[in-house]
Amino acid sequence: MKNFIQQLTAQEDLNFLLTNRIPRMTLTRFMGWWSQIKNPWIRDASIGIWKLFSDLDLSEARKTHFESMHDCFTRELKPGARSIDMREDILSSPCDAIVGACGTIEATQVIQAKGFPYTLGSLMGFSPRTGELVHSLKNGTYVTLRLTSSMYHRFHAPANATLEHVTHIAGDTWNVNPIALKRVERLFCKNERAVLSLRLQDGTPLVIVPVAAILVASLRLHAINLILHLDYTGPDEIPCNIQVTKGQEMGWFQHGSTILVFVPPGFQLAKGIETGQRIQMGQALLEKLS
C-alpha cells in the first residue's frame, strides 16, 4: 500500500495538481493549526498517514514520544547523531538535505532548474542594503538544499560567524519539489522566505535563505526570538548582531522546505557535493580556496 501511494504521487502531473492547484495558503494555515493539536488520536493518525507518504525514520530522534505532529516535525536528534566538520576552511551543511541546483553564480544569476534562472536581487529584495549584498556575491558559489518532509527540520550555523541582518519577504507557498521547480519560473522568488546575512570571522559574507513551501510557511529563528509565518506583521528588516558557532542550532522549519546558501568568489563546492546527493547537517558543503 505504501509503495503504491508513493508511486502514484511520484507521477509529475498528479503531484503538481495535488500540491499546487489547490488553495495553498488556506491549506498551509490549516495544517499549521492541525499539526499542533495535542490529541493522541489525531497525533497518531496524522503521523501514521505521514509515514504512508514518506520514508519517515524516527530512530535518531531524541524523544520517543511526541505530543503532536508538530512536535514530531520539529524533533531534535539524539546527541552525537551528527558530526560537524570543524576544519577552518570548510563551511558545513546547515541541514540534512538533498542537493539541488548548485555551482557558480553567473554574475548575479543562478539556476533554479534547467532553463529556469533567477537573479539574487529578485530573491533577496531590491533595497540599497541588499544591492550591496548581491554585489558582494557576484560570481560566487551557491547550493540549493531541499529538505523533504521526513527529514530532520532544524538548521545550524555552517561556520563561526555573526548574524548581522534578517530580511523577511512575504510570499506564496508553492511546493518546492523538483516537479514544481521545473514548471514554475522564479519559484523561490515567489514564496515566503527569510534572508539571513552572516559574516565570517575574516569578514567574508555568507547568506542563507530559508524558503517556505506549502504546509511549511513558518520559520522559527532562535537569534531574534521570532516565528516568521504567513500572518507575521512585525518588521521585515531586522538588524541584529548575534554570534553563532559552527554547528549551533539557528532555528527550524515546521515541515520540509529549502535552504539556499550563497558565498562570494573564493569558495568551491566540497568534494562529493553535486545535484541529487543526499547530505547530512555538519557535512562539508563548501571549501575555501587556498
Side-chain angles (χ1 to χ4, degrees):
M1 179 65 175
K2 179 175 180 178
N3 289 339
F4 172 75
I5 291 174
Q6 292 180 354
Q7 289 172 8
L8 188 64
T9 55
Q11 296 181 34
E12 290 201 7
D13 290 339
L14 179 60
N15 185 295
F16 190 76
L17 176 65
L18 289 175
T19 59
N20 289 308
R21 298 307 187 192
I22 55 177
R24 295 183 297 275
M25 290 192 179
T26 299
L27 183 58
T28 297
R29 288 190 174 96
F30 172 78
M31 283 302 298
W33 166 77
W34 179 269
S35 68
Q36 297 191 57
I37 295 175
K38 295 181 178 180
N39 179 292
W41 289 357
I42 292 177
R43 174 202 62 206
D44 293 346
S46 299
I47 294 176
I49 294 171
W50 182 15
K51 287 180 177 180
L52 280 178
F53 286 86
S54 71
D55 56 353
L56 180 64
D57 179 3
L58 302 177
S59 62
E60 294 182 319
R62 170 174 278 186
K63 297 198 302 186
T64 58
H65 174 79
F66 302 101
E67 295 183 352
S68 64
M69 185 166 65
H70 171 268
D71 192 26
C72 185
F73 282 156
T74 61
R75 63 190 179 276
E76 294 180 274
L77 296 179
K78 294 176 182 176
R82 297 288 180 273
S83 59
I84 311 298
D85 191 319
M86 297 303 293
R87 289 176 290 175
E88 292 185 2
D89 60 340
I90 291 293
L91 299 182
S92 60
S93 176
C95 59
D96 287 8
I98 300 172
V99 178
C102 56
T104 301
I105 302 169
E106 301 294 342
T108 62
Q109 182 175 278
V110 295
I111 300 298
Q112 169 181 298
K114 187 176 181 180
F116 284 75
Y118 64 93
T119 64
L120 296 182
S122 61
L123 177 73
M124 299 180 186
F126 294 99
S127 69
R129 186 187 184 284
T130 300
E132 296 177 7
L133 186 61
V134 168
H135 181 74
S136 72
L137 298 171
K138 187 176 180 180
N139 298 319
T141 302
Y142 76 103
V143 186
T144 305
L145 300 172
R146 181 171 69 91
L147 292 78
T148 67
S149 66
S150 60
M151 286 180 173
Y152 171 62
H153 304 119
R154 298 183 179 231
F155 58 95
H156 300 247
N160 296 330
T162 302
L163 178 62
E164 295 184 331
H165 195 91
V166 175
T167 300
H168 173 255
I169 302 175
D172 209 326
T173 58
W174 288 94
N175 198 328
V176 292
N177 65 13
I179 296 167
L181 294 178
K182 292 189 294 183
R183 297 184 177 214
V184 182
E185 293 187 30
R186 300 188 306 110
L187 191 156
F188 294 138
C189 306
K190 300 176 187 291
N191 274 16
E192 182 164 15
R193 57 202 181 276
V195 181
L196 312 184
S197 301
L198 298 100
R199 195 165 299 276
L200 304 182
Q201 291 180 322
D202 64 1
T204 301
L206 164 67
V207 177
I208 299 175
V209 183
V211 181
I214 188 168
L215 311 181
V216 197
S218 182
L219 174 70
R220 174 70 161 87
L221 294 175
H222 296 314
I224 53 178
N225 195 29
L226 284 178
I227 300 179
L228 304 176
H229 52 77
L230 292 176
D231 300 315
Y232 173 75
T233 57
D236 291 324
E237 299 290 344
I238 309 168
C240 44
N241 183 25
I242 308 295
Q243 304 296 315
V244 293
T245 58
K246 195 173 194 177
Q248 179 181 336
E249 185 181 310
M250 296 182 69
W252 66 69
F253 285 112
Q254 298 278 35
H255 198 43
S257 195
T258 294
I259 290 182
L260 308 170
V261 181
F262 302 92
V263 289
F267 289 84
Q268 65 183 5
L269 298 174
K271 184 178 179 180
I273 299 301
E274 57 186 22
T275 300
Q277 180 68 35
R278 280 185 173 261
I279 62 172
Q280 291 187 333
M281 186 279 290
Q283 182 178 333
L285 182 69
L286 293 154
E287 180 180 0
K288 191 170 186 178
L289 298 171
S290 55

